[in-house]
Amino acid sequence: MDARFTDEQDEIRRALRELLHKRCGTEDVRAAVDRPEGHDPALWTALGEQLGLPGLALPEAYGGAGCTATEVALAAEELGRALAPSPFLATAVLAAPLLLALGTDAQRAELLPRIADGGLTAALAVPGTRLGTALALTGPGGGDWAGGGRAGGVQARHRGDRWQLYGEADQVLDGHSAGLLLVPAHAGGYARSRVLLFLVAGDADGVVRTRRTTLDPTRPQARVQLRHVAAEPLGDEDTDIRPALAALGDSVAAVLAGEAVGAADRALERTVEYVKQREQFGRAIGSFQAVKHRLADVHVAVRAARSAAYYAAWATARGEPAGALALAQALEALRTAAAEGIQLHGGIGFTWEHEAHLFFKRAAGDELLFGPVHRLRGQAADAAGLFGGQGVAV
């Protein structure tokens, strides 16, 4: 492994950090999450037009940049530093790779260029809290997570020569504003039950989308209800979507690990800045040995998590699974950095007016969506055949 970044990778990080520094400060983040979209559409347009961020990993044939998971993870690290609310995770990391892997030539040609230029956003509408299982991060990735049209799932049925979907999916990332929904649904009844992916226009008849109040306001989520909605299968109806979801899961975890490391690093930076300024007993509190020890522990955790995240991004680009373990370590580092930041900021760390709580909410929210940490590690151990091939309890 060559740990050095290329000039192109360094330029991606530099350009993105500069743009976010100008247009995604703390007040900008607060204003963006209060918008109906849950993000700033003008910033998303700038990320697409100036940096080509939505199409970073898409082939050049579809208007993308043709980059690997490494570049996507580096971009996510900068977005994490700013806690930038954007459709990047839902559209570019979750939905676009599935369209590329499973879509027909016509579907790819129609949809991917629109995603690459930022004109179309998309969301993967997995039911309930099962996103981690669907991506084979916290479970084996079998078909039960789709719900079968019951308990929050979606059922697909033929009506004449068309498919119709009925059911609902909760906690869908950017589901309230996405122009395109990728909906996993059970088809075939009990005799030939299987899970297919369907394309549904966000404004299609029978679609009811409601934005939810979330723990992490920078990760907007929605309940998506489908009532006899016309849908188009993604790709071939006989294709098993589970391998594509499992492959996607590892790259998603690697990208999320990079994002969490960026947030943890920024939380640590803000805390170090504060303890150098805050005085008690006539001296800066950062000069006290106890404070130094606590921040040193955070620094070590963040550095270790960054190494794991960079390795996972490098390995994922070469087809080697390492994302889940890196994500577990990065989420732990972010939680630690955010918790220590709140404590060392003292009274202001507990107020809504300060941004410290947003970092902690990002760590907790991501664990709820993609974890928890012990299940990420348990599934990784199971997949690697540790403990006699029996895995660990999850």
Side-chain angles (χ1 to χ4, degrees):
M1 174 184 176
D2 186 352
R4 295 171 298 180
F5 293 121
T6 65
D7 292 340
E8 182 182 7
Q9 290 167 343
D10 284 333
E11 179 60 21
I12 290 172
R13 291 159 59 96
R14 184 199 62 77
L16 185 53
R17 183 174 296 195
E18 287 183 359
L19 178 60
L20 293 174
H21 178 72
K22 294 176 182 177
R23 304 190 56 169
C24 199
T26 302
E27 295 306 316
D28 298 310
V29 170
R30 294 180 185 275
V33 298
D34 288 337
R35 295 178 62 94
E37 303 90 344
H39 65 272
D40 181 2
L43 175 60
W44 180 244
T45 299
L47 291 172
E49 293 179 350
Q50 297 181 28
L51 303 179
L53 194 66
L56 197 61
L58 290 176
E60 295 180 7
Y62 298 112
C67 294
T68 68
T70 303
E71 287 78 20
V72 178
L74 292 176
E77 183 179 357
E78 297 306 319
L79 292 170
R81 284 180 58 86
L83 293 180
S86 80
F88 179 72
L89 177 60
T91 299
V93 180
L94 285 168
L98 289 174
L99 291 169
L100 181 63
L102 299 174
T104 64
D105 290 341
Q107 288 170 337
R108 290 196 290 260
E110 177 189 357
L111 299 172
L112 291 180
R114 296 168 58 197
I115 287 178
D117 65 17
L120 176 66
T121 57
L124 178 61
V126 171
T129 58
R130 301 164 188 160
L131 185 56
T133 302
L135 297 174
L137 292 175
T138 57
D144 290 344
W145 53 265
R150 301 172 295 278
V154 180
Q155 187 74 31
R157 295 178 181 174
H158 264 301
R159 288 292 184 269
D161 60 347
R162 304 183 68 183
W163 286 94
Q164 284 189 348
L165 305 184
Y166 189 93
E168 72 173 42
D170 209 353
Q171 295 178 296
V172 179
L173 284 171
D174 291 306
H176 62 294
S177 61
L180 177 70
L181 300 173
L182 274 66
V183 184
H186 262 291
Y190 292 103
R192 191 169 174 260
S193 179
R194 64 196 191 280
V195 179
L196 302 177
L197 266 176
F198 292 88
L199 301 176
V200 176
D203 58 355
D205 292 339
V207 176
V208 178
R209 304 188 289 178
T210 307
R211 185 176 175 182
R212 306 294 305 275
T213 300
T214 58
L215 172 64
D216 178 10
T218 65
R219 287 265 201 250
Q221 301 172 26
R223 174 187 292 120
V224 178
Q225 297 172 304
L226 304 129
R227 299 293 182 262
H228 306 296
V229 176
E232 174 188 351
L234 177 63
D236 190 340
E237 295 180 13
D238 295 323
T239 300
D240 184 359
I241 68 171
R242 288 175 297 180
L245 285 170
L248 173 64
D250 193 68
S251 63
V252 168
V255 171
L256 283 168
E259 186 185 71
V261 163
D265 188 54
R266 183 56 180 155
L268 176 59
E269 283 182 5
R270 290 299 305 270
T271 305
V272 170
E273 291 169 0
Y274 179 75
V275 299
K276 288 180 178 178
Q277 299 170 2
R278 171 72 186 274
E279 291 188 359
Q280 193 145 19
F281 306 113
R283 56 191 286 195
I285 64 173
S287 66
F288 294 117
Q289 197 73 6
V291 174
K292 290 180 180 180
H293 285 170
R294 293 173 70 168
L295 290 176
D297 288 341
V298 175
H299 175 73
V300 170
V302 173
R303 289 294 296 268
R306 176 179 283 113
S307 296
Y310 286 174
Y311 174 77
W314 176 86
T316 298
R318 288 153 181 78
E320 302 173 16
L325 291 177
L327 177 57
Q329 188 163 356
L331 289 178
E332 276 194 339
L334 175 54
R335 181 183 283 268
T336 300
E340 290 290 358
I342 290 172
Q343 289 291 318
L344 293 175
H345 273 85
I348 64 170
F350 288 89
T351 63
W352 294 124
E353 288 76 14
H354 198 273
E355 66 175 342
H357 68 99
L358 294 175
F359 290 97
F360 191 84
K361 288 177 177 178
R362 172 62 67 90
D366 278 1
E367 255 199 277
L368 291 172
L369 278 171
F370 299 97
V373 164
H374 73 275
R375 290 193 175 180
L376 288 167
R377 288 179 171 144
Q379 176 60 21
D382 223 11
L386 301 180
F387 309 105
Q390 298 299 313
V392 296
V394 296

